[in-house]
Amino acid sequence: MKFHILPSLLAADFGDLANEIKRVEEAGAEALHLDIMDAHFVPNLSFGPDVVELARRVAPTLFRSVHLMLTRPDLYLERFMEAGADSVQIHVEADCDIWQALAAIRARGVRSGLVLRPQTEVSMIKPYLLLCDEVLFMTVNPGYGGQAFMAEVLPRIAELRAYIAGAEMQALDIMVDGGINYETAVDCAAHGANMFVAGSFMFKQNDMGAAVIKMRELCAAAERKLLKQSG
Ligand code: DX5
Ligand code: ZN
């Protein structure tokens, strides 16, 4: 399996955003994760499409993953895709037609993702999986960076990994977001995740490039161990 590391810009120094974005590009991360919050779906505000556009301008080759924590993501999809989103993740708990929103993302040639809050059951997303390129499990309550990882989500990750194997949907990526560091990334990889969003942990590193490589290697080792155990 290919493992992807996505530093989250929410933990960057907002006084130096352009250089912080370049730092992620130079670290060799697979993508930059951008968290969009509307102070309604989550109790916080972050930034809008201008920052997605800034990322495209200062680091054009860096893939942009845009996580919409909005009550009505459907009303803003076009603006974020126009600004340069390469993947868009919407919440299954959002107040819109999920089917239509995922189809609208894909129609633009953008990768589509569906996100679950930590309390949401996997059965909620099953009807939409054929329209998804990735599923994102929140491993904290969405809204803020720097929170503690919620281990109770791990069995849900394993449940989805087993389900997509049985349904011949192995191309679907499983992402995790919230409280990710080396230890929690390994736990998630051992339960079947292959894409890791990390905010505070990545941005506090002096050498982000080395941390990206190390996290990838630790996850690959966890997968090898898992495969060995399952024979
Ligand atoms: C939280 C966001 C996360 C956040 C993760 O609502 O979706 O992407 O930036 O931050 P850390 O890695 O610090 O938990
Ligand atoms: Zn996020």
Side-chain angles (χ1 to χ4, degrees):
M1 195 146 42
K2 174 104 174 65
F3 293 96
H4 293 241
I5 312 297
L6 302 82
S8 165
L9 196 63
L10 199 61
D13 174 359
F14 279 29
D16 196 14
L17 268 188
N19 283 320
E20 292 281 72
I21 292 165
K22 285 186 200 150
R23 217 175 126 205
V24 175
E25 185 179 43
E26 281 156 17
E30 278 76 13
L32 175 72
H33 185 74
L34 298 113
D35 289 299
I36 314 299
M37 305 179 183
D38 66 354
H40 187 264
F41 185 76
V42 291
N44 196 12
L45 279 165
S46 58
F47 45 77
D50 290 353
V51 174
V52 179
E53 216 174 311
L54 173 75
R56 179 171 59 188
R57 182 155 57 80
V58 302
T61 64
L62 181 60
F63 192 96
R64 292 164 294 274
S65 147
V66 178
H67 176 188
L68 298 181
M69 283 161 273
L70 309 177
T71 300
R72 291 292 308 269
D74 54 322
L75 301 180
Y76 295 89
L77 288 176
E78 198 50 44
R79 287 178 61 186
F80 282 99
M81 293 192 290
E82 189 59 40
D86 294 302
S87 69
V88 175
Q89 296 91 35
I90 61 164
H91 274 258
V92 70
E93 308 90 359
D95 192 8
C96 72
D97 184 328
I98 300 295
W99 193 265
Q100 235 175 49
L102 291 169
I105 297 168
R106 278 217 169 152
R108 282 279 237 128
V110 170
R111 279 175 64 88
S112 61
L114 199 52
V115 192
L116 297 85
R117 284 189 179 128
Q119 301 79 10
T120 301
E121 298 288 341
V122 168
S123 59
M124 289 285 293
I125 59 163
K126 283 186 183 164
Y128 308 110
L129 289 181
L130 283 174
L131 276 173
C132 294
D133 296 303
E134 53 205 24
V135 169
L136 169 53
F137 284 93
M138 288 307 305
T139 43
V140 298
N141 285 313
Y144 295 92
Q147 304 181 77
F149 179 79
M150 296 167 70
E152 57 266 43
V153 182
L154 291 171
R156 298 217 167 101
I157 300 172
E159 181 189 345
L160 181 67
R161 178 56 73 194
Y163 179 78
I164 63 180
E168 301 278 328
M169 295 177 71
Q170 282 89 342
L172 191 76
D173 286 304
I174 301 185
M175 290 171 84
V176 287
D177 182 5
I180 298 297
N181 54 36
Y182 293 142
E183 291 74 34
T184 57
V186 163
D187 285 345
C188 292
H191 286 78
N194 70 301
M195 294 175 81
F196 305 83
V197 176
S200 20
F201 184 75
M202 279 300 160
F203 276 91
K204 76 171 184 219
Q205 303 290 330
N206 290 325
D207 186 345
M208 196 192 284
V212 165
I213 292 171
K214 184 167 174 189
M215 190 174 278
R216 243 190 240 125
E217 285 177 356
L218 288 170
C219 291
E223 186 201 23
R224 281 196 298 274
K225 199 167 149 195
L226 191 70
L227 290 175
K228 223 167 157 181
Q229 277 166 5
S230 58

